[in-house]
């Protein structure tokens, strides 16, 4: 069965860049980040934004699961 979730992993930034969700959040070299792959694209999120997105995703999936 195909998964309904995207490919996600926790990684370490090899160089500094901006968070995909909030451009004011900087991910520095060596910082942990959430990597989300969709097709050939890879999006990186800072820890703060990643935790918020994961919590919201868990709530949504839990709600859908309870309806089944």
């Amino acid at each position: 069965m195909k998964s309904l979730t995207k490919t996600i992993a926790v990684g370490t930034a090899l160089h500094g860049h901006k968070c995909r969700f909030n451009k004011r959040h900087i991910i520095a070299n060596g910082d942990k980040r959430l990597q989300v792959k969709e097709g050939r694209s890879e999006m990186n999120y800072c820890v703060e934004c990643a935790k918020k997105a994961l919590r919201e995703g868990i709530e949504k999936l839990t709600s859908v699961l309870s309806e089944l």
Side-chain angles (χ1 to χ4, degrees):
M1 178 175 189
K2 187 174 180 176
S3 175
L4 298 175
T5 59
K6 297 176 183 175
T7 303
I8 61 173
V10 174
T12 303
L14 300 177
H15 57 84
H17 53 274
K18 296 177 182 178
C19 173
R20 179 71 174 228
F21 183 75
N22 186 334
K23 301 293 184 202
R24 290 178 286 163
H25 294 171
I26 302 299
I27 303 169
N29 181 19
D31 285 355
K32 284 190 176 184
R33 64 183 182 185
L34 179 67
Q35 299 168 293
V36 180
K37 293 183 181 179
E38 188 172 7
R40 293 184 177 184
S41 300
E42 183 176 297
M43 296 161 283
N44 298 298
Y45 300 90
C46 69
V47 172
E48 180 183 342
C49 292
K51 286 182 177 182
K52 181 180 177 186
L54 289 170
R55 285 186 191 107
E56 290 174 2
I58 289 168
E59 287 176 14
K60 188 172 185 177
L61 288 171
T62 302
S63 173
V64 171
L65 183 60
S66 68
E67 288 182 36
L68 294 173

